[in-house]
Amino acid sequence: MTFTIGIDSGSTTTKGILLEGNAIVRRFLCPTSFRPADSIREAWEALRDGLEEKPFLTLTGYGRQLVDFADKQVTEISCHGLGARLLLPEVRTVIDIGGQDSKVIQLDERGNLTDFLMNDKCAAGTGRFLDVISRTLGTTVEALDAITDGIAPHPLTSMCTVFAESEVISLRSAGVAPEAILAGVINAMARRSGHFISRLTTQGPLLFTGGVSHCVRFRAMLSEHLKMTVHTHDDAQFAGAIGAALIGQRQWAR
Ligand code: ADP
């Protein structure tokens, strides 16, 4: 067994994992800095701290080309599929909703990638959309579950981040409760993600990854729209980094 490190340099957060075999030994997460290479360096130093030998480092995510000390760079799609399999071995579909993109990945029963779709053109349907609307209403994404618990969603007509922001402001001035607006925003986004996933022939089990998977209400609404169970995992935001570290383990085993 050896140690390997995977770092996922995301648009919003930088995630890192230290693996020994298939076991997660350390996790690292920080907001991606103005200079994403600085966050990669910070993750690398924190994860390898105290280790005698230099671990094999695999980078993924949008900032993966920004430093020159990695042993390997791999696309996010391959890493997410692999990472998802470690979290839920029988997974067949992965939906990843991060800060500025969302992707759906299809795997066969052996874990081989069979198809994928990526949306990185538009903030609607991403964590950024939730961030903007939460901030407009004076709260944060971390508080969404507590705020919207048991609240019926108010319908929202616009899914464009810019128009939705002004619609939310108009709804507030018309006296609609902020809790109902937020539940409506989550519902509209979950419906949109459901349509996105359905563009591929969705087979279960389905694993929800990325930062937005922390939102329990989102997961429940997504499950309602898809009419299927939506699984997640405490380490779901690390799926890309886990996959990257696993690629290092495979390389070492050869
Ligand atoms: P990226 O890889 O694109 O940097 P991540 O998968 O790390 O993205 O996810 C970051 C996003 O997750 C942020 O936009 C943030 O709004 C969202 N997020 C984090 N925690 C929560 C939460 N509890 N509820 C909803 N969204 C969340």
Side-chain angles (χ1 to χ4, degrees):
M1 290 291 182
T2 191
F3 292 110
T4 60
I5 289 178
I7 297 177
D8 177 4
S9 169
S11 62
T12 312
T13 65
T14 299
K15 283 82 55 184
I17 285 287
L18 174 69
L19 273 191
E20 186 179 16
N22 280 350
I24 298 176
V25 183
R26 285 181 195 160
R27 297 164 181 79
F28 176 93
L29 189 146
C30 72
T32 296
S33 109
F34 169 64
R35 290 191 181 81
D38 293 348
S39 303
I40 298 175
R41 256 181 232 108
E42 198 184 331
W44 170 237
E45 293 306 335
L47 291 165
R48 66 182 282 217
D49 186 41
L51 298 181
E52 275 174 21
E53 280 182 32
K54 179 180 170 289
F56 189 93
L57 171 64
T58 308
L59 284 185
T60 188
Y62 101 120
R64 65 181 178 275
Q65 316 277 10
L66 297 175
V67 297
D68 58 7
F69 54 87
D71 298 295
K72 202 174 171 80
Q73 281 116 349
V74 187
T75 64
E76 286 149 274
I77 300 291
S78 338
C79 289
H80 271 86
L82 265 179
R85 287 263 295 177
L86 189 79
L87 302 177
L88 183 69
E90 61 279 19
V91 63
R92 296 295 295 276
T93 305
V94 184
I95 170 74
D96 181 88
I97 309 184
Q100 287 190 29
D101 65 31
S102 56
K103 38 194 169 287
V104 52
I105 302 169
Q106 221 174 37
L107 303 169
D108 68 14
E109 65 281 1
R110 277 141 100 231
N112 300 312
L113 180 82
T114 50
D115 210 352
F116 74 92
L117 282 175
M118 176 112 171
N119 162 32
D120 56 2
K121 300 281 179 288
C122 166
T126 69
R128 172 112 189 102
F129 183 73
L130 280 182
D131 278 333
V132 168
I133 304 292
S134 303
R135 234 176 294 137
T136 305
L137 287 170
T139 187
T140 62
V141 288
E142 286 78 15
L144 285 176
D145 275 327
I147 292 175
T148 62
D149 190 27
I151 305 286
H154 185 90
L156 199 79
T157 51
S158 180
M159 273 304 286
C160 164
T161 312
V162 178
F163 292 130
E165 200 179 353
S166 42
E167 185 180 353
V168 163
I169 294 166
S170 311
L171 289 172
R172 273 306 282 137
S173 50
V176 180
E179 292 85 352
I181 300 175
L182 285 171
V185 166
I186 298 173
N187 190 40
M189 213 178 120
R191 190 187 319 113
R192 187 189 165 101
S193 303
H195 289 312
F196 178 57
I197 296 167
S198 305
R199 282 166 60 194
L200 296 185
T201 32
T202 320
Q203 251 195 327
L206 172 91
L207 183 72
F208 182 15
T209 63
V212 177
S213 71
H214 290 298
C215 184
V216 177
R217 188 79 194 268
F218 191 107
R219 202 188 314 156
M221 286 175 169
L222 182 61
S223 179
E224 253 172 56
H225 290 298
L226 285 171
K227 296 184 180 42
M228 67 191 285
T229 306
V230 174
H231 298 270
T232 189
H233 190 284
D234 286 348
D235 284 324
Q237 195 171 1
F238 292 95
I242 294 171
L246 279 171
I247 286 170
Q249 290 287 332
R250 286 181 173 185
Q251 190 112 348
W252 180 80
R254 265 194 232 126

